[in-house]
Amino acid sequence: MNLDLALGHKSPDVDVAWNQRDLLLYQAGIGAKRNELSALYELSPTWHPPPTYPLVLALKGSSQDVTNFASSKDAGGKTPGLPELNPEKLVHAEQSITILKTIPSVSGPGWKLKKQCVGIKDVDGAEELVSPTGEVYARMISSAYAFGDYKAGGYNKSIAPKQPLKALSKPPARTPDFVFSEKTTEEQAILYRLSGDYNPLHIFPDIGKKMGFGGVILHGLASYGHAARAIILNVAGGDGNRLSFMSSRFTSPVVPGDELETSIWTSEENGGTRVDFVQRIKGSGKTCLGGGVAFLTGAGASGRGASKL
């Protein structure tokens, strides 16, 4: 194990692709309901690609079929210097996305995901979604917990780029401006995995039991997408094109069937709307998304160019 060798390593570019059906399936996977036609009906005059969709591409790649999670997580090759990580003991810890341009409804060939290891305490990775012409459409930074005895000796270094917004240390003391509650279905993880994350933790109960979760848990990015929906529906009037940044920590596992409650606080900042949020599991009261912060560009303006590809 040579963590200094791993830090900063750039993996070979990964081919990625999607079509409009993939975007519709993703919206269903993050809980969109039948009345959300701008999310689910491709002929709706207000339909637009979901802003958080690029998050699934690291595991989906360009495949239109089921992929193997163990190999998908190392798409572009393994990171030199890191120990062998057990894919059945990897759990998402934190995620951010900066949306620079709205993706097209169909990618076509030539899209790439550029990947780099930008921090090691957990396992931090940065990704950029790049069009065939070299334009960057989204930047994503993710962290993962790797369970096991790796004896890293307290190693903690980062070269991650500065984020557009910094999360609050705790939620605002005042009453939330919006509270969005919605019950997930017991099949939510089964539906969400079809967007490309085939980690068996989310469908095979024995793996979750071995990890101490009691069984199947919901993908962290499904809860994350649910929170994005809550923000878009309540603060942006359904216009997902206004979401330009979102970040949060995954703090407690969600079981498919749990009811999620997203509390939202808004404030005006830099000509747009800052959103601080926290998501809890209704009933247990456990926080499942903490340190949540997002930014919406000014009402009536997307703040980024819609793609004509």
Side-chain angles (χ1 to χ4, degrees):
M1 184 163 63
N2 183 347
L3 300 182
D4 282 329
L5 181 63
L7 186 66
H9 173 74
K10 293 182 179 180
S11 301
D13 294 351
V14 176
D15 291 329
V16 295
W18 64 91
N19 56 37
Q20 194 169 29
R21 181 179 58 81
D22 293 325
L23 303 181
L24 298 172
L25 181 60
Y26 171 81
Q27 292 279 34
I30 61 173
K33 299 296 183 282
R34 61 184 181 180
N35 62 334
E36 295 174 45
L37 296 183
S38 62
L40 295 172
Y41 182 41
E42 67 282 0
L43 297 182
S44 168
T46 56
W47 184 88
H48 54 276
T52 51
Y53 178 78
L55 293 169
V56 309
L57 293 172
L59 292 176
K60 179 189 178 298
S62 59
S63 176
Q64 286 298 320
D65 202 349
V66 175
T67 58
N68 179 278
F69 174 73
S71 56
S72 294
K73 74 175 182 63
D74 290 322
K78 294 184 178 181
T79 301
L82 285 183
E84 190 71 31
L85 303 177
N86 185 342
E88 293 185 1
K89 292 187 176 182
L90 282 175
V91 178
H92 213 153
E94 192 167 353
Q95 182 69 59
S96 73
I97 180 169
T98 302
I99 303 122
L100 303 173
K101 298 192 70 171
T102 301
I103 62 171
S105 57
V106 179
S107 65
W111 287 74
K112 306 286 184 183
L113 204 64
K114 295 181 177 291
K115 304 174 71 173
Q116 182 181 21
C117 179
V118 296
I120 300 173
K121 177 182 178 183
D122 309 310
V123 178
D124 292 1
E127 298 159 341
E128 288 186 341
L129 176 62
V130 181
S131 76
T133 58
E135 293 179 278
V136 178
Y137 274 60
R139 292 192 177 99
M140 298 157 277
I141 300 177
S142 62
S143 301
Y145 292 121
F147 289 90
D149 187 12
Y150 295 110
K151 293 183 173 63
Y155 192 96
N156 182 7
K157 293 182 181 180
S158 175
I159 57 170
K162 185 179 178 181
Q163 299 281 51
L165 290 176
K166 185 176 180 180
L168 300 176
S169 58
K170 58 183 180 179
R174 63 183 174 87
T175 301
D177 296 299
F178 304 94
V179 177
F180 183 77
S181 296
E182 195 170 77
K183 187 175 176 61
T184 63
T185 70
E186 293 184 2
E187 294 76 32
Q188 200 78 53
I190 296 172
L191 184 58
Y192 183 84
R193 72 193 297 267
L194 300 179
S195 285
D197 185 346
Y198 293 97
N199 186 339
L201 170 63
H202 304 297
I203 195 166
F204 189 49
D206 288 1
I207 293 175
K209 290 175 182 176
K210 280 192 273 186
M211 294 179 68
F213 296 130
V216 169
I217 63 172
L218 187 61
H219 304 71
L221 285 179
S223 303
Y224 190 97
H226 182 281
R229 279 184 52 242
I231 293 167
I232 291 166
L233 291 172
N234 289 278
V235 189
D239 183 3
N241 286 318
R242 290 183 57 199
L243 183 67
S244 65
F245 175 75
M246 181 173 170
S247 176
S248 74
R249 299 188 309 273
F250 302 100
T251 54
S252 185
V254 174
V255 175
D258 281 345
E259 184 171 353
L260 301 179
E261 181 179 86
T262 306
S263 298
I264 298 169
W265 295 263
T266 63
S267 56
E268 296 306 305
E269 187 171 312
N270 296 326
T273 303
R274 176 191 172 107
V275 178
D276 294 288
F277 67 94
V278 62
Q279 188 181 81
R280 296 185 176 90
I281 302 169
K282 205 165 182 180
S284 73
K286 289 183 177 180
T287 298
C288 51
L289 290 180
V293 62
F295 189 76
L296 300 172
T297 56
S302 70
R304 57 183 188 270
S307 172
K308 294 181 173 60
L309 291 180

